[in-house]
Amino acid sequence: MSIASIAKPMTFIARTTDVEPGCALQVNLGGHPPLALVRLADEFFVINDTCTHGEASLSDGEIINGDIECPFHSGCFDIRTGAATAFPCTKALTVYPVKVEDEQVFAALDAGTCADTPV
């Protein structure tokens, strides 16, 4: 679990029980692009849900060894960093700081980072 800076406002994303381990859940909040809440064991991550290569929902993709695979062209992203890890994806996703409190997942949506590390 990554802890967001106390100074950053946190937005409720979902309950921890809303997403099974090894799965992703699409979350739509007004004023933000679709997000994916991803659960790896007991760690939670919030990333942009739309693939940077095409208009695919990553929450529909498979999670394999810490990566999420795009359901359209099988490109992959590291869930923890957002870095593209398999072609045809080359542009990283935005990853948001997360806080889990009382079985609720919150994210600092104004503090997202993007790891533009080439594949």
Side-chain angles (χ1 to χ4, degrees), residues 40-107:
L40 298 178
D42 286 329
E43 289 184 284
F44 295 86
F45 301 90
V46 175
I47 60 176
N48 279 356
D49 187 52
T50 305
C51 179
T52 59
H53 176 257
E55 292 297 313
S57 172
L58 294 173
S59 58
D60 291 335
E62 290 195 44
I63 296 173
I64 306 162
N65 297 323
D67 283 357
I68 192 162
E69 182 181 58
C70 175
F72 279 6
H73 300 112
S74 300
C76 293
F77 300 92
D78 183 304
I79 293 166
R80 289 174 172 86
T81 67
T85 58
F87 287 109
C89 301
T90 58
K91 185 178 176 192
L93 295 170
T94 300
V95 177
Y96 301 91
V98 168
K99 176 174 75 171
V100 177
E101 188 174 278
D102 298 325
E103 298 185 14
Q104 297 180 65
V105 180
F106 298 87

Side-chain angles (χ1 to χ4, degrees), residues 19-45:
V19 61
E20 296 290 323
C23 295
L25 172 72
Q26 185 182 69
V27 178
N28 291 296
L29 303 172
H32 296 280
L35 302 169
L37 171 61
V38 183
R39 183 174 181 177
L40 298 178
D42 286 329
E43 289 184 284
F44 295 86
F45 301 90

